[in-house]
Amino acid sequence: ESLIDIGKALQRISSKYFIDIYSTEKRNKILKYLINENGIKFHGAISYDDVKKIILGSDILIHTESFSKNIINKIKYSISTKIADSLASGTCLFAYGPEDIASIEYLKEHNAACVVTKPRKLESTLKELINNYDLRRSYVKNALELANMNHNGKKNSEAFKILIANTLEPYKYK
């Protein structure tokens, strides 16, 4: 539903704007909505190498969360691992979802993505993001800094080792 909201908003801005979706999705009850009329071009499954190429060649990546109360309760405290990849990609990230979802709050707090939490702001914010290259670059800069600070494998591995060592320290003398 959130992707359709974005796709339709893009179509209102310009009929040449679409969301390109790459997925292994096979359910007809979902696929029937991933259509040009909803501002979506569904391409099906692609390899991980192709995913990386497409991300690098994209103007904007999209991260969405549902506005459905049932789903919000299930995902409220989770953060997708795709967020880290998106932040480190060097491509501007656009996030659309309710305020009280951890991933949305995280991106907004660090100004690492263009974040929209109110459906009424969707179209105007998308229009501004599309038309303002400097704004997109500022989000990318913040995203790359955040990725380096919180999603760097080497740093995280060292921090984890220190955490484990400190946790085991009281047991060292027993």
Side-chain angles (χ1 to χ4, degrees):
E1 292 170 354
S2 294
L3 285 171
I4 293 168
D5 289 348
I6 296 167
K8 287 182 175 182
L10 288 171
Q11 287 288 287
R12 287 190 299 273
I13 295 167
S14 171
S15 62
K16 69 179 183 174
Y17 293 144
F18 287 88
I19 300 172
D20 289 304
I21 295 180
Y22 301 86
S23 171
T24 58
E25 182 61 62
K26 300 274 190 238
R27 294 172 291 175
N28 284 330
K29 68 181 184 178
I30 303 293
L31 294 175
K32 70 181 180 182
Y33 296 105
L34 305 181
I35 56 176
N36 288 3
E37 291 78 12
N38 287 333
I40 296 172
K41 291 185 179 181
F42 183 77
H43 301 279
I46 59 172
S47 71
Y48 183 69
D49 287 337
D50 286 340
V51 169
K52 292 189 291 188
K53 289 176 192 168
I54 288 168
I55 287 173
L56 292 175
S58 296
D59 296 314
I60 298 169
L61 298 178
I62 297 172
H63 173 78
T64 62
E65 298 290 1
S66 176
F67 284 87
S68 164
K69 294 284 185 210
N70 287 341
I71 296 183
I72 289 171
N73 290 332
K74 291 177 186 174
I75 62 162
K76 186 172 187 156
Y77 302 108
S78 65
I79 295 182
S80 168
T81 56
K82 292 176 184 159
I83 296 262
D85 293 339
S86 297
L87 293 170
S89 72
T91 301
C92 184
L93 183 58
F94 176 80
Y96 179 58
E99 284 181 332
D100 50 355
I101 301 292
S103 60
I104 298 296
E105 289 178 354
Y106 179 71
L107 294 169
K108 190 174 182 179
E109 176 184 329
H110 294 283
N111 202 29
C114 179
V115 177
V116 175
T117 59
K118 305 281 187 243
R120 70 180 182 279
K121 295 275 198 175
L122 181 58
E123 188 175 337
S124 62
T125 305
L126 278 170
K127 188 182 285 189
E128 180 182 10
L129 186 65
I130 290 166
N131 293 319
N132 189 334
Y133 175 82
D134 291 335
L135 179 61
R136 291 194 308 274
R137 295 312 314 155
S138 72
Y139 286 124
V140 169
K141 178 182 176 289
N142 294 340
L144 290 170
E145 288 172 2
L146 182 60
N148 187 48
M149 183 174 68
N150 290 345
H151 305 283
N152 179 305
K154 191 172 184 177
K155 278 184 177 179
N156 289 344
S157 178
E158 287 302 314
F160 186 70
K161 286 177 189 175
I162 291 168
L163 177 67
I164 294 297
N166 289 340
T167 302
L168 296 176
E169 186 67 27
Y171 301 103
K172 187 175 176 181
Y173 302 105
K174 288 189 175 183

